Amino acid sequence: MVRQATLNNQRKMENMATGKKLDGKPYAGDPHVAPFLRVALVAAILAVGEAALSPLHADTYQFIVSGYPAENENYAAASSGTALVTSTHAVPTAVQALEARYRTWGESDGIALRSDKLRIMMVVIR
Amino acid sequence: MKTQKNTFASKKRNSCRFLLATLAVATSATLQAAVPEISGVTMAQAANRLVTIAYTLADAPAVITLDVQTNVTGDVWTSIGGAAVRNAMGDVWKRVEAGSRTITWRPDHSWPDHKIADGGARAVVTAWALDNTPDYMAVDVSATGGAGTQTYYPAADFVPGGVTNAEYKTSVLLMRKIMAKDVTWTMGSTPLETKRAANETAHRVTLTNNYYIGVYEVTQAQWGLIQPSRLTPSTFNNAADRATRPVENVSYNEIRNSANSTDDTAAYRWPADPNPNSFLGKLRTKSGLDFDLPSEAQWEFASRAGNGDTKWGDGSGILNADSDANLNLLGRYERNGGKVWNGSSYVNPAESCGATNGTAIVGSYAPNAWGLYDMQGNVWEWCLDWYESDITENGGAVNIDPSAPATALSGESRSNRVLRGGSWFGAAGACRPAQRNSNAPSTRSYSTGFRVLCSAGLR
């Protein structure tokens, strides 16, 4: 409910910016106050369920699958096939071991993470 | 006497032990100094969605990269993809000195509308030793001076804006690491290949080091940023699109050996460093990196991208010496816009033509299997080597970095430098990965440009 109200407010602000009201008609405006002063936008984080970043329901979403870390992709291609005529190749494991020796990594603990838009509350000053 | 002898022997043994121990410590120290260690990686998110990743880098400076992974598909951690984390800032994507370091990331900007349950997201911070830096390197040639103009990315999807971003065709050189170290492969072609020539004899080559090579040919905009005193050297300089077309009409000598002229200055010939006032000399000063032209072998290895005889660099077959349907997708040549059909033959386009004729905007066609664009067609590319018709050099034995041997082989004149890759001017057969061409190093031609190379790893 709160979210819907916020969305409505966002939409109202956008409509005002474009000179149209929610119903699509031109915004009449107040002759005594410049349009951009009519609305003071106060972005406030809604504390409930936000600040703590407690465990959240994992919504359905899409994510991009990356091959990272890519292990010697060039090498793999060079040694993958039959395409190279009469060539012999270095032992892949030796090259991969060399790679690993010169690259180290560390992992953090798992956390909850959210990247949805911050909800904002608008105060309209008339 | 016996005691004295034993004492002497004992001292000698102790001395040897000390020497060995010293060597062991020194060796260990050397190895440790070369291998950076990452520890103490933490990841936290503030209420405003800002994510802070802290880590400790020990033992050596390193190039740092970041990945964010989730385990929402089960116990398997999966990257959310480079595009989602490449806006991370701070001590990442560059050389970082040892110490406690911090990265900040705005997932709400680059990876919006995701909610990951507790324990479901983690940061992976990778430290790359300075002699094994990540797969992509971007060098800002518009920046003023010195090392530190480079950023690094572990895969194509991490490159800001994507590898086809116009930035990499104008103000930034994007370089791709080629894993060539100790790989033995076949250079040249066999008689099975269409339109092959006698100077392409197939032979085995082993390259001894990895290297970075330009994802694109050097463009007119990039040339102008390095050599403003000869701002517009190219023939195809239509103002509407010249910035992202390859620079052409530049000689080998002005790229490497002379100060903006076609003169050959012997003192700067490879393996000496380039003339400081040449294109490569200025690029070296600007970047702090050892930029050069690729050797012929380095060029062909990168062009083949793991594909051998009778294949283009994307793995498709070489079909026809004149007009090749597979090459149509890979690069600009005579029959797909390079020249103009006048009803009876293919003729040169007007020098003022747009990029639909003559040279194409770099990256207009598909890349080869290793993500390099225009390795076939567009412009011939200068290589480091003197041209010698006998490519096998050592009678067919495996060659090690066969670039400009110390003395000319019998019967070789050493008057020309190698050109590779074909151009807008030629038919399909001239664009084959094995095709060899050459020209005098003082020559400027509207069909000849270049791409750059540097060693893999910071110096």
Side-chain angles (χ1 to χ4, degrees):
Chain A
M1 195 63 180
V2 172
R3 184 171 178 77
Q4 187 57 48
T6 306
L7 287 173
N8 284 340
N9 280 336
Q10 280 183 322
R11 198 172 301 146
K12 185 175 180 181
M13 184 177 69
E14 289 162 6
N15 286 333
M16 288 180 70
T18 58
K20 291 182 179 180
K21 294 198 291 185
L22 285 174
D23 59 7
K25 294 177 181 175
Y27 191 84
D30 183 333
H32 303 293
V33 184
F36 61 87
L37 293 177
R38 215 177 293 129
V39 175
L41 175 65
V42 180
I45 300 166
L46 298 182
V48 179
E50 294 280 347
L53 288 171
S54 55
L56 301 165
H57 172 69
D59 290 343
T60 302
Y61 66 89
Q62 293 182 321
F63 59 90
I64 304 162
V65 177
S66 166
Y68 177 81
E71 288 285 354
N72 296 303
E73 56 187 289
N74 290 333
Y75 183 84
S79 59
S80 63
T82 53
L84 290 177
V85 179
T86 69
S87 58
T88 55
H89 308 287
V91 181
T93 51
V95 177
Q96 284 166 0
L98 184 71
E99 274 283 279
R101 183 182 147 203
Y102 290 108
R103 194 173 67 200
T104 63
W105 58 88
E107 297 147 356
S108 72
D109 292 335
I111 66 165
L113 179 68
R114 59 186 304 170
S115 61
D116 52 337
K117 293 285 187 296
L118 280 173
R119 284 183 266 179
I120 57 174
M121 181 170 62
M122 291 184 299
V123 178
V124 179
I125 302 171
R126 294 182 181 279
Chain B
M1 190 67 180
K2 189 178 177 183
T3 306
Q4 282 178 342
K5 192 175 180 180
N6 282 348
T7 304
F8 177 74
S10 173
K11 279 182 179 173
K12 196 174 177 183
R13 274 199 302 275
N14 285 342
S15 174
C16 285
R17 280 181 191 143
F18 177 75
L19 189 62
L20 286 172
T22 306
L23 276 173
V25 168
T27 305
S28 170
T30 303
L31 286 176
Q32 289 216 347
V35 182
E37 286 288 339
I38 285 281
S39 62
V41 178
T42 63
M43 182 188 195
Q45 187 174 29
N48 66 358
R49 306 287 191 263
L50 180 70
V51 172
T52 301
I53 296 144
Y55 65 90
T56 300
L57 175 65
D59 297 332
V63 169
I64 299 295
T65 60
L66 170 70
D67 191 25
V68 175
Q69 302 176 342
T70 63
N71 64 3
V72 293
T73 54
D75 291 333
V76 179
W77 289 95
T78 307
S79 171
I80 66 171
V85 297
R86 62 194 180 196
N87 70 334
M89 300 172 70
D91 297 321
V92 66
W93 317 131
K94 62 186 179 184
R95 175 184 167 133
V96 173
E97 302 301 318
S100 297
R101 304 295 169 199
T102 304
I103 302 169
T104 55
W105 173 50
R106 294 302 308 245
D108 50 332
H109 292 178
S110 59
W111 195 54
D113 300 325
H114 298 290
K115 296 177 183 178
I116 305 300
D118 194 24
R122 73 177 185 184
V124 180
V125 178
T126 301
W128 303 68
L130 298 187
D131 53 359
N132 181 44
T133 44
D135 282 4
Y136 283 88
M137 175 175 69
V139 182
D140 183 356
V141 291
S142 68
T144 50
T149 58
Q150 311 101 40
T151 50
Y152 296 86
Y153 308 96
D157 59 333
F158 285 74
V159 176
V163 296
T164 57
N165 191 301
E167 185 176 45
Y168 307 120
K169 304 170 185 175
T170 51
S171 58
V172 177
L173 281 171
L174 185 63
M175 310 291 291
R176 175 76 162 89
K177 189 169 77 172
I178 302 297
M179 300 295 288
K181 183 178 173 61
D182 297 335
V183 177
T184 299
W185 56 288
T186 300
M187 186 174 177
S189 66
T190 73
L192 288 176
E193 185 160 305
T194 302
K195 201 68 177 178
R196 79 179 293 273
N199 66 354
E200 301 171 9
T201 307
H203 63 292
R204 292 162 71 191
V205 169
T206 301
L207 294 170
T208 52
N209 279 302
N210 301 330
Y211 54 91
Y212 283 105
I213 194 166
V215 169
Y216 301 109
E217 292 158 339
V218 172
T219 64
Q220 296 182 39
Q222 290 162 341
W223 173 275
L225 284 168
I226 300 295
Q227 283 292 38
S229 60
R230 190 165 181 244
L231 189 61
T232 54
S234 297
T235 302
F236 294 110
N237 64 359
N238 181 319
D241 51 26
R242 66 186 177 195
T244 51
R245 288 168 104 169
V247 68
E248 23 85 11
N249 207 32
V250 288
S251 71
Y252 178 101
N253 287 340
E254 67 191 311
I255 294 167
R256 196 183 196 288
N257 290 6
S258 62
N260 219 2
S261 80
T262 60
D263 298 337
D264 185 5
T265 310
Y268 296 113
R269 285 183 192 156
W270 189 89
D273 286 345
N275 185 317
N277 292 313
S278 67
F279 175 90
L280 286 169
K282 288 185 174 179
L283 182 56
R284 284 186 175 206
T285 301
K286 186 162 259 194
S287 65
L289 299 173
D290 59 346
F291 278 102
D292 216 320
L293 292 169
S295 74
E296 185 174 13
Q298 287 169 324
W299 188 95
E300 185 171 327
F301 184 71
S303 175
R304 290 195 172 283
N307 297 290
D309 198 40
T310 75
K311 303 286 187 187
W312 297 111
D314 67 342
S316 62
I318 297 172
L319 304 174
N320 191 290
D322 296 321
S323 180
D324 188 299
N326 289 332
L327 182 59
N328 286 345
L329 307 175
L330 282 175
R332 173 64 55 82
Y333 70 113
E334 177 192 80
R335 301 295 177 91
N336 69 348
K339 289 186 177 178
V340 179
W341 179 250
N342 69 358
S344 59
S345 62
Y346 286 93
V347 297
N348 286 359
E351 293 181 359
S352 61
C353 69
T356 52
N357 293 116
T359 57
I361 289 170
V362 298
S364 295
Y365 297 90
N368 74 6
W370 291 346
L372 305 176
Y373 291 84
D374 304 305
M375 292 301 284
Q376 273 86 51
N378 218 13
V379 286
W380 287 101
E381 298 179 15
W382 286 112
C383 290
L384 198 56
D385 313 53
W386 288 113
Y387 173 78
E388 297 187 349
S389 59
D390 180 8
I391 194 178
T392 64
E393 291 184 3
N394 298 319
V398 171
N399 295 318
I400 305 295
D401 287 351
S403 174
T407 55
L409 299 176
S410 173
E412 302 283 3
S413 65
R414 280 215 169 155
S415 56
N416 285 3
R417 296 285 182 177
V418 172
L419 295 170
R420 287 301 205 107
S423 77
W424 64 269
F425 186 88
C431 300
R432 293 174 300 110
Q435 176 75 36
R436 305 178 73 217
N437 194 0
S438 69
N439 217 335
S442 59
T443 306
R444 289 169 172 164
S445 166
Y446 56 18
S447 64
T448 302
F450 66 106
R451 76 178 66 217
V452 290
L453 170 140
C454 71
S455 60
L458 296 166
R459 294 181 102 187

